[in-house]
Coordinates of all heavy atoms in Angstrom, one line a residue:
M17 N 0.8 -1.2 0.0 CA 0.0 0.0 0.0 C 0.9 1.2 0.0 O 1.8 1.4 0.8 CB -0.9 0.0 1.3 CG -2.0 1.0 1.2 SD -3.2 0.7 2.4 CE -2.4 1.3 3.9
N18 N 0.7 2.2 -1.0 CA 1.4 3.4 -1.0 C 0.5 4.5 -0.4 O -0.7 4.6 -0.7 CB 1.7 3.8 -2.4 CG 2.7 2.8 -3.0 OD1 3.7 2.4 -2.3 ND2 2.5 2.4 -4.2
L19 N 1.2 5.4 0.4 CA 0.5 6.5 0.9 C 0.9 7.8 0.2 O 2.2 8.0 0.0 CB 0.9 6.6 2.4 CG 0.5 8.0 3.1 CD1 -1.0 8.0 3.2 CD2 1.0 7.9 4.5
K20 N 0.0 8.6 -0.3 CA 0.3 9.9 -0.8 C -0.2 11.0 0.0 O -1.4 10.9 0.5 CB -0.3 9.9 -2.2 CG 0.4 9.1 -3.3 CD -0.1 9.3 -4.6 CE 0.4 8.2 -5.5 NZ -0.5 8.0 -6.7
V21 N 0.6 12.0 0.2 CA 0.2 13.2 0.9 C 0.2 14.4 0.0 O 1.2 14.6 -0.6 CB 1.1 13.4 2.1 CG1 0.6 14.6 3.0 CG2 1.1 12.2 3.0
D22 N -0.9 15.2 -0.1 CA -0.9 16.4 -0.8 C -0.8 17.6 0.2 O -1.8 18.0 0.8 CB -2.2 16.5 -1.6 CG -2.2 17.7 -2.5 OD1 -1.4 18.7 -2.3 OD2 -3.0 17.8 -3.4
L23 N 0.4 18.0 0.4 CA 0.7 19.1 1.5 C -0.1 20.4 1.2 O -0.4 21.1 2.0 CB 2.2 19.3 1.7 CG 2.9 18.3 2.4 CD1 4.4 18.6 2.4 CD2 2.4 18.0 3.8
A24 N -0.4 20.6 -0.1 CA -1.1 21.8 -0.5 C -2.5 21.8 0.1 O -3.1 22.9 0.4 CB -1.1 22.0 -2.0
K25 N -3.0 20.6 0.3 CA -4.4 20.5 0.8 C -4.4 20.4 2.3 O -5.5 20.7 2.9 CB -5.0 19.2 0.3 CG -5.4 19.4 -1.2 CD -6.2 18.1 -1.7 CE -6.5 18.1 -3.1 NZ -7.2 16.9 -3.5
C26 N -3.4 20.0 2.9 CA -3.3 19.7 4.4 C -3.5 21.1 5.1 O -2.8 22.0 4.9 CB -2.0 19.1 4.8 SG -1.8 18.8 6.6
D27 N -4.4 21.0 6.1 CA -4.6 22.1 6.9 C -4.3 22.0 8.4 O -4.8 22.7 9.3 CB -6.0 22.7 6.7 CG -6.1 24.0 6.0 OD1 -5.1 24.8 6.1 OD2 -7.1 24.3 5.4
G28 N -3.6 20.8 8.7 CA -3.3 20.6 10.0 C -4.3 20.2 11.1 O -4.2 20.5 12.2
Y29 N -5.4 19.6 10.6 CA -6.4 19.2 11.5 C -6.1 18.1 12.5 O -6.7 17.9 13.5 CB -7.8 18.8 10.7 CG -8.4 19.9 10.1 CD1 -8.2 20.2 8.7 CD2 -9.2 20.8 10.8 CE1 -8.9 21.3 8.2 CE2 -9.9 21.9 10.2 CZ -9.7 22.1 8.9 OH -10.3 23.2 8.3
A30 N -5.1 17.3 12.1 CA -4.5 16.2 12.9 C -5.5 15.1 13.1 O -5.2 14.3 14.0 CB -4.0 16.8 14.3
N31 N -6.5 15.0 12.4 CA -7.3 13.8 12.5 C -6.5 12.5 12.1 O -6.8 11.5 12.6 CB -8.5 13.9 11.4 CG -9.5 15.0 11.7 OD1 -9.1 16.0 12.4 ND2 -10.7 14.9 11.2
C32 N -5.6 12.8 11.2 CA -4.8 11.6 10.8 C -3.8 11.2 11.9 O -3.6 10.0 12.1 CB -3.9 11.9 9.6 SG -2.9 13.5 9.8
V33 N -3.4 12.1 12.7 CA -2.6 11.8 13.9 C -3.4 10.9 14.9 O -2.9 10.0 15.5 CB -2.0 13.0 14.6 CG1 -1.1 12.6 15.8 CG2 -1.2 13.9 13.5
A34 N -4.7 11.4 15.1 CA -5.5 10.6 16.0 C -5.8 9.2 15.5 O -5.8 8.3 16.3 CB -6.9 11.4 16.2
A35 N -5.9 9.0 14.2 CA -6.2 7.7 13.6 C -5.0 6.8 13.5 O -5.1 5.6 13.8 CB -6.7 7.9 12.1
A36 N -3.8 7.4 13.3 CA -2.6 6.6 13.2 C -1.4 7.3 13.8 O -0.6 7.9 13.0 CB -2.3 6.2 11.7
P37 N -1.3 7.4 15.1 CA -0.2 8.2 15.7 C 1.2 7.7 15.4 O 2.1 8.5 15.5 CB -0.5 8.1 17.2 CG -1.6 7.1 17.4 CD -2.2 6.8 16.0
G38 N 1.3 6.5 15.0 CA 2.7 6.0 14.6 C 3.1 6.4 13.2 O 4.2 6.2 12.9
V39 N 2.2 6.8 12.5 CA 2.5 7.1 11.0 C 2.5 8.6 10.8 O 3.2 9.1 10.0 CB 1.4 6.4 10.1 CG1 1.6 6.8 8.6 CG2 1.3 4.9 10.4
F40 N 1.6 9.3 11.5 CA 1.5 10.8 11.1 C 1.8 11.7 12.4 O 1.6 11.2 13.5 CB 0.1 11.2 10.7 CG -0.4 10.4 9.6 CD1 -1.3 9.3 9.6 CD2 0.0 10.8 8.3 CE1 -1.8 8.6 8.6 CE2 -0.5 10.1 7.1 CZ -1.3 9.0 7.3
D41 N 2.3 12.9 12.1 CA 2.5 13.9 13.1 C 2.2 15.2 12.4 O 2.2 15.2 11.1 CB 3.9 13.8 13.7 CG 4.0 14.5 15.0 OD1 2.9 15.1 15.5 OD2 5.1 14.6 15.6
V42 N 2.0 16.2 13.2 CA 1.8 17.6 12.5 C 3.0 18.5 12.9 O 3.3 18.5 14.2 CB 0.5 18.2 12.9 CG1 0.4 19.6 12.5 CG2 -0.7 17.4 12.3
S43 N 3.6 19.1 12.0 CA 4.8 19.9 12.4 C 4.4 21.2 13.1 O 3.5 21.9 12.7 CB 5.5 20.3 11.0 OG 6.4 21.3 11.3
D44 N 5.1 21.5 14.2 CA 4.9 22.7 14.8 C 5.3 23.9 14.0 O 4.8 25.0 14.1 CB 5.7 22.8 16.1 CG 5.2 21.8 17.2 OD1 4.0 21.5 17.1 OD2 6.0 21.4 18.1
D45 N 6.3 23.7 13.1 CA 6.8 24.8 12.3 C 5.8 25.1 11.1 O 5.5 26.3 10.9 CB 8.1 24.5 11.7 CG 9.2 24.3 12.7 OD1 9.0 25.0 13.8 OD2 10.2 23.6 12.5
T46 N 5.4 24.1 10.4 CA 4.7 24.4 9.2 C 3.1 24.2 9.4 O 2.3 24.6 8.6 CB 5.1 23.5 8.0 OG1 4.7 22.1 8.4 CG2 6.6 23.5 7.8
G47 N 2.8 23.5 10.4 CA 1.4 23.2 10.7 C 0.8 22.1 9.7 O -0.4 22.0 9.6
K48 N 1.7 21.5 9.0 CA 1.4 20.5 8.0 C 1.7 19.1 8.5 O 2.6 18.9 9.4 CB 2.0 20.7 6.7 CG 1.8 22.1 6.1 CD 0.8 22.2 5.1 CE 0.6 23.5 4.5 NZ -0.6 23.6 3.6
V49 N 1.1 18.1 7.9 CA 1.3 16.8 8.3 C 2.7 16.3 8.0 O 3.3 16.7 7.0 CB 0.3 15.8 7.7 CG1 0.4 15.7 6.2 CG2 0.3 14.4 8.3
I50 N 3.3 15.4 8.9 CA 4.6 14.7 8.6 C 4.3 13.3 8.6 O 3.6 12.8 9.5 CB 5.6 15.1 9.7 CG1 5.8 16.6 9.9 CG2 6.9 14.4 9.4 CD1 6.5 16.9 11.2
V51 N 4.9 12.6 7.6 CA 4.7 11.1 7.6 C 6.0 10.6 8.3 O 7.1 10.8 7.9 CB 4.6 10.6 6.1 CG1 4.5 9.1 6.1 CG2 3.4 11.2 5.5
L52 N 5.7 9.8 9.4 CA 6.8 9.3 10.2 C 7.5 8.1 9.6 O 8.6 7.8 10.0 CB 6.4 9.1 11.6 CG 5.7 10.3 12.3 CD1 5.1 9.9 13.6 CD2 6.8 11.3 12.6
T53 N 6.8 7.3 8.9 CA 7.4 6.1 8.4 C 6.8 5.8 6.9 O 5.6 6.1 6.7 CB 7.0 4.9 9.3 OG1 7.5 3.7 8.7 CG2 5.5 4.7 9.5
D54 N 7.6 5.2 6.1 CA 7.3 4.7 4.8 C 6.8 3.3 4.9 O 6.2 2.8 3.9 CB 8.5 4.8 3.9 CG 8.8 6.2 3.5 OD1 7.9 7.1 3.6 OD2 10.0 6.5 3.1
R55 N 7.0 2.7 6.0 CA 6.7 1.2 6.1 C 5.2 1.1 6.6 O 5.0 1.3 7.8 CB 7.6 0.5 7.0 CG 9.0 0.4 6.4 CD 10.0 -0.2 7.5 NE 11.2 -0.5 6.8 CZ 11.6 -1.6 6.3 NH1 10.7 -2.6 6.2 NH2 12.7 -1.7 5.7
L56 N 4.3 0.8 5.7 CA 2.9 0.6 6.1 C 2.7 -0.9 6.2 O 2.4 -1.6 5.2 CB 2.0 1.2 5.1 CG 2.2 2.8 4.9 CD1 1.2 3.3 3.9 CD2 2.0 3.5 6.3
D57 N 2.8 -1.5 7.3 CA 2.6 -2.9 7.5 C 1.2 -3.1 7.8 O 0.3 -2.2 7.9 CB 3.6 -3.4 8.6 CG 3.4 -2.6 9.9 OD1 2.3 -2.0 10.1 OD2 4.3 -2.7 10.7
E58 N 0.9 -4.4 8.0 CA -0.5 -4.8 8.3 C -1.1 -4.0 9.4 O -2.3 -3.5 9.4 CB -0.6 -6.2 8.6 CG -0.3 -7.2 7.5 CD -1.6 -7.3 6.6 OE1 -2.6 -7.5 7.2 OE2 -1.3 -7.2 5.4
E59 N -0.3 -3.8 10.5 CA -0.8 -3.2 11.8 C -1.1 -1.7 11.5 O -2.1 -1.2 11.9 CB 0.3 -3.3 12.8 CG -0.2 -3.2 14.1 CD 1.0 -3.4 15.2 OE1 1.7 -4.3 15.0 OE2 1.1 -2.6 16.1
S60 N -0.2 -1.0 10.8 CA -0.4 0.4 10.6 C -1.4 0.7 9.5 O -2.1 1.8 9.5 CB 0.9 1.2 10.3 OG 1.5 0.6 9.2
S61 N -1.7 -0.2 8.6 CA -2.5 0.1 7.4 C -3.9 0.4 7.8 O -4.6 1.2 7.1 CB -2.4 -1.0 6.3 OG -2.9 -2.1 6.9
D62 N -4.5 -0.2 8.8 CA -5.8 0.0 9.3 C -6.0 1.5 9.7 O -6.9 2.2 9.3 CB -6.2 -0.8 10.4 CG -6.6 -2.3 9.9 OD1 -6.7 -2.5 8.7 OD2 -6.8 -3.0 10.8
G63 N -5.0 1.9 10.4 CA -5.1 3.4 10.9 C -4.9 4.3 9.8 O -5.5 5.3 9.8
V64 N -4.1 3.9 8.7 CA -3.9 4.8 7.6 C -5.2 4.9 6.8 O -5.5 6.0 6.4 CB -2.7 4.3 6.8 CG1 -2.7 5.1 5.4 CG2 -1.4 4.5 7.5
V65 N -5.8 3.8 6.6 CA -7.1 3.9 5.9 C -8.1 4.7 6.6 O -8.8 5.5 6.0 CB -7.6 2.5 5.7 CG1 -9.0 2.4 5.1 CG2 -6.8 1.6 4.7
E66 N -8.1 4.7 7.9 CA -9.0 5.5 8.7 C -8.6 6.9 8.6 O -9.5 7.8 8.5 CB -8.9 5.0 10.2 CG -10.0 5.6 11.1 CD -9.8 5.1 12.5 OE1 -9.3 4.0 12.7 OE2 -10.1 6.0 13.4
A67 N -7.3 7.2 8.6 CA -6.8 8.6 8.5 C -7.2 9.2 7.1 O -7.7 10.4 7.1 CB -5.3 8.6 8.6
V68 N -7.1 8.4 6.1 CA -7.5 8.8 4.8 C -9.0 9.2 4.7 O -9.4 10.3 4.2 CB -7.3 7.8 3.7 CG1 -7.9 8.1 2.3 CG2 -5.8 7.6 3.5
R69 N -9.8 8.4 5.4 CA -11.3 8.7 5.5 C -11.6 9.9 6.3 O -12.5 10.6 6.0 CB -11.9 7.4 6.1 CG -13.4 7.2 5.7 CD -13.9 6.0 6.4 NE -13.6 5.9 7.8 CZ -13.3 4.8 8.4 NH1 -13.2 3.7 7.8 NH2 -13.0 4.8 9.8
D70 N -10.8 10.1 7.4 CA -11.1 11.1 8.4 C -10.5 12.5 8.0 O -10.8 13.5 8.6 CB -10.5 10.8 9.8 CG -11.4 9.6 10.3 OD1 -12.4 9.3 9.8 OD2 -11.0 9.1 11.5
C71 N -9.6 12.6 7.0 CA -9.0 13.8 6.7 C -10.0 14.7 6.1 O -10.5 14.4 5.0 CB -7.8 13.6 5.8 SG -7.1 15.2 5.2
P72 N -10.3 15.9 6.6 CA -11.4 16.8 6.2 C -11.1 17.5 4.9 O -11.9 17.9 4.1 CB -11.5 17.8 7.3 CG -10.4 17.7 8.2 CD -9.7 16.4 7.9
T73 N -9.7 17.6 4.6 CA -9.4 18.2 3.3 C -9.0 17.3 2.2 O -8.5 17.7 1.1 CB -8.2 19.2 3.5 OG1 -7.0 18.4 3.9 CG2 -8.5 20.2 4.7
R74 N -9.1 15.9 2.5 CA -8.8 15.0 1.4 C -7.3 15.0 1.0 O -7.0 14.9 -0.3 CB -9.7 15.0 0.2 CG -11.1 14.8 0.5 CD -11.4 13.3 0.4 NE -12.8 13.0 0.9 CZ -13.1 12.5 2.1 NH1 -12.1 12.2 2.9 NH2 -14.3 12.2 2.5
A75 N -6.5 15.4 1.9 CA -5.0 15.6 1.6 C -4.4 14.2 1.5 O -3.2 14.1 1.0 CB -4.4 16.4 2.7
L76 N -4.9 13.1 2.0 CA -4.3 11.8 2.1 C -5.0 10.9 1.1 O -6.2 10.9 0.9 CB -4.4 11.2 3.5 CG -3.8 12.1 4.6 CD1 -4.2 11.4 5.9 CD2 -2.4 12.3 4.5
S77 N -4.1 10.0 0.5 CA -4.7 8.9 -0.4 C -3.9 7.7 -0.3 O -2.7 7.8 0.1 CB -4.9 9.4 -1.8 OG -3.7 9.8 -2.4
V78 N -4.4 6.6 -0.6 CA -3.6 5.4 -0.6 C -3.9 4.6 -1.9 O -5.0 4.7 -2.5 CB -3.9 4.4 0.5 CG1 -3.2 5.0 1.8 CG2 -5.3 4.1 0.7
D79 N -3.0 3.9 -2.4 CA -3.2 3.0 -3.5 C -2.6 1.6 -3.1 O -1.9 1.5 -2.2 CB -2.8 3.5 -4.8 CG -1.3 3.6 -4.9 OD1 -0.6 2.7 -4.4 OD2 -0.8 4.6 -5.5
E80 N -2.9 0.6 -3.9 CA -2.5 -0.7 -3.5 C -1.2 -1.1 -4.2 O -0.9 -2.3 -4.3 CB -3.6 -1.7 -3.9 CG -4.9 -1.5 -3.0 CD -4.5 -1.8 -1.5 OE1 -3.7 -2.5 -1.1 OE2 -5.2 -0.9 -0.8
G81 N -0.3 -0.2 -4.6 CA 0.9 -0.5 -5.2 C 1.8 -1.2 -4.1 O 1.6 -1.2 -3.0
S82 N 2.9 -1.9 -4.7 CA 3.6 -2.8 -3.7 C 4.8 -2.1 -3.0 O 5.3 -2.5 -2.1 CB 4.2 -4.0 -4.5 OG 4.9 -3.4 -5.7
S83 N 5.3 -1.0 -3.6 CA 6.5 -0.3 -3.0 C 6.1 0.8 -2.0 O 5.0 1.3 -2.0 CB 7.3 0.3 -4.0 OG 6.6 1.3 -4.8
Ligands
SF4_113 S1 -6.1 15.1 8.8 FE1 -5.6 15.8 6.7 S2 -5.6 18.0 7.0 FE2 -5.4 17.2 9.0 S3 -3.2 17.0 9.4 FE3 -3.8 15.1 8.6 S4 -3.5 15.2 6.4 FE4 -3.5 17.3 7.2

């Protein structure tokens, strides 16, 4: 599963951090999301899917690519 982040859309709501705290953080400097890991394993992918769904600005997306 590949995660894509559109920083132009991110408005720092941190819903993604609530959904997957091990994967996302929000920068104090920019107010934008930071992706903490590229490794989306089985455990983190549920939270990531939830984060994509919960992001109010649709800044996050996933596809099923292998890398
Ligand atoms: S939920 Fe969306 S808008 Fe909010 S910090 Fe995460 S990516 Fe950005």
Side-chain angles (χ1 to χ4, degrees):
M17 190 165 79
N18 293 319
L19 169 64
K20 288 188 193 153
V21 180
D22 185 344
L23 285 178
K25 288 185 180 172
C26 174
D27 247 337
Y29 287 100
N31 295 21
C32 54
V33 182
V39 178
F40 300 105
D41 198 1
V42 173
S43 167
D44 289 337
D45 293 333
T46 65
K48 305 263 185 186
V49 69
I50 303 167
V51 178
L52 300 172
T53 178
D54 289 335
R55 292 177 172 267
L56 299 180
D57 53 20
E58 291 280 316
E59 201 177 315
S60 59
S61 63
D62 282 353
V64 169
V65 168
E66 193 181 326
V68 170
R69 204 180 49 218
D70 288 352
C71 176
T73 65
R74 298 271 173 259
L76 305 174
S77 59
V78 287
D79 65 40
E80 293 301 324
S82 57
S83 63

